[in-house]
Amino acid sequence: MELRGFLYGFYEKRLLSELAGGRIPNHIGVMVDGNRRWAKQFNAPTSQGHQAGADKIHEFLGWCQELGVKVVTLYMLSTDNMSRSSEELDLLMGIIANTLDRLDDDANISVNAMGAPELLPDYLAERLNKLTARTPVREKIHVNVAVGYGGRREIVDAVRELLHDAVAKGSDISALADTLSVDDISRFLYTRGQPDPDLVIRTSGEQRLSGFLMWQSAYSEFYFCEALWPAFRKVDFLRALRDYAGRQRRFGT
């Protein structure tokens, strides 16, 4: 184990040296996938997998702060996940609530909630609102917490809010339809005012978006990792960053 730890540390330092002076993503989206499969590997209860995944989130945010990543969006609970058993959801909601409390304890983090609060238990929706309203002492990183989130729903909500805004201002809806632009809709997304993600990482070997940041990720780079989220190591993260740094971003051109 000592030799393995030494080699791991050596490899981590080598990856860090390769990234020195390189291009670090400003905004990273992460699909924290594989908690249940991780638990199954160890014949552990599903809740243990979710707790291990929550612990990994805090470790991951520490890596991001070390490397200068400014914005992270965490896909923690989708609208599709809401169809899971009530027993699993109750345990998962409690773990998410505890995760939010730990984020609240970090004076370097600001938080934005993304999703449909009406789908969540009142206590969890209230914690999200409180955390979003809080001003960090010194912001080093901004974290978007996607809980009860669906990408299609976000776009629908943005268009709905845009229309309500136009009506409130006395605008002609027909004229709005003729002039509607990408920027018009972007102004009402959950991530309004933020840069789109440069890099989207999904763990667990799955290679699909599952509705995550469908609008914002139009020109993002994607990195799919075989590791299950609780087993995601710093070297896995550094590999993703190295891969990103070596790509030529074209933005559709």
Side-chain angles (χ1 to χ4, degrees):
M1 289 298 293
E2 289 183 6
L3 177 60
R4 183 177 180 181
F6 171 79
L7 293 174
Y8 178 89
F10 177 79
Y11 182 46
E12 181 181 311
K13 289 179 180 178
R14 194 182 84 179
L15 287 169
L16 283 168
S17 67
E18 291 177 5
L19 287 171
R23 190 160 45 98
I24 298 294
N26 186 45
H27 181 176
I28 297 178
V30 189
M31 307 177 72
V32 295
D33 194 17
N35 294 340
R36 295 198 294 178
R37 275 172 281 173
W38 181 87
K40 189 175 181 180
Q41 285 182 346
F42 298 98
N43 293 317
T46 299
S47 59
Q48 188 170 323
H50 289 314
Q51 184 59 60
D55 293 338
K56 182 61 63 175
I57 283 173
H58 299 285
E59 189 177 4
F60 177 78
L61 292 177
W63 302 337
C64 288
Q65 290 188 53
E66 288 174 18
L67 292 163
V69 178
K70 299 301 182 185
V71 183
V72 172
T73 299
L74 300 166
Y75 199 8
M76 297 178 65
L77 181 71
S78 72
T79 50
D80 293 333
N81 294 154
M82 302 300 290
S83 63
R84 293 179 181 178
S85 71
S86 58
E87 180 182 4
E88 180 181 352
L89 282 176
D90 287 344
L91 289 168
L92 180 53
M93 298 292 186
I95 290 170
I96 291 173
N98 290 334
T99 301
L100 297 179
D101 288 342
R102 290 177 66 181
L103 291 178
D104 197 14
D105 290 336
D106 193 326
N108 298 324
I109 294 177
S110 64
V111 176
N112 175 53
M114 298 171 52
E118 66 272 18
L119 299 179
L120 306 176
D122 289 342
Y123 74 89
L124 185 54
E126 289 169 4
R127 290 194 196 191
L128 283 167
N129 288 334
K130 177 185 174 183
L131 193 52
T132 299
R134 150 189 168 280
T135 301
V137 176
R138 50 192 179 278
E139 184 185 66
K140 288 188 178 179
I141 190 168
H142 180 81
V143 180
N144 296 309
V145 180
V147 180
Y149 172 87
R152 289 179 173 176
R153 179 169 184 143
E154 178 181 18
I155 296 169
V156 170
D157 283 349
V159 173
R160 182 181 291 118
E161 190 174 348
L162 183 154
L163 293 173
H164 282 311
D165 182 69
V167 170
K169 292 177 178 177
S171 301
D172 181 82
I173 299 300
S174 178
L176 173 63
D178 291 337
T179 62
L180 188 65
S181 69
V182 168
D183 290 339
D184 290 331
I185 294 176
S186 294
R187 286 191 299 112
F188 292 96
L189 295 172
Y190 299 151
T191 56
R192 66 195 71 180
Q194 300 180 34
D196 288 338
D198 303 295
L199 174 66
V200 175
I201 299 172
R202 180 165 190 166
T203 56
S204 85
E206 303 292 348
Q207 298 187 28
R208 59 180 182 273
L209 269 180
S210 298
F212 184 50
L213 299 176
M214 295 171 62
W215 181 281
Q216 299 92 327
S217 65
Y219 298 111
S220 301
E221 300 295 325
F222 291 87
Y223 185 85
F224 300 103
C225 177
E226 291 294 326
L228 302 175
W229 175 247
F232 188 71
R233 304 165 301 171
K234 189 174 183 179
V235 293
D236 297 315
F237 182 46
L238 295 175
R239 284 173 180 159
L241 296 183
R242 180 180 63 180
D243 184 81
Y244 169 82
R247 298 186 190 183
Q248 182 179 357
R249 302 193 69 190
R250 300 183 184 278
F251 298 97
T253 60

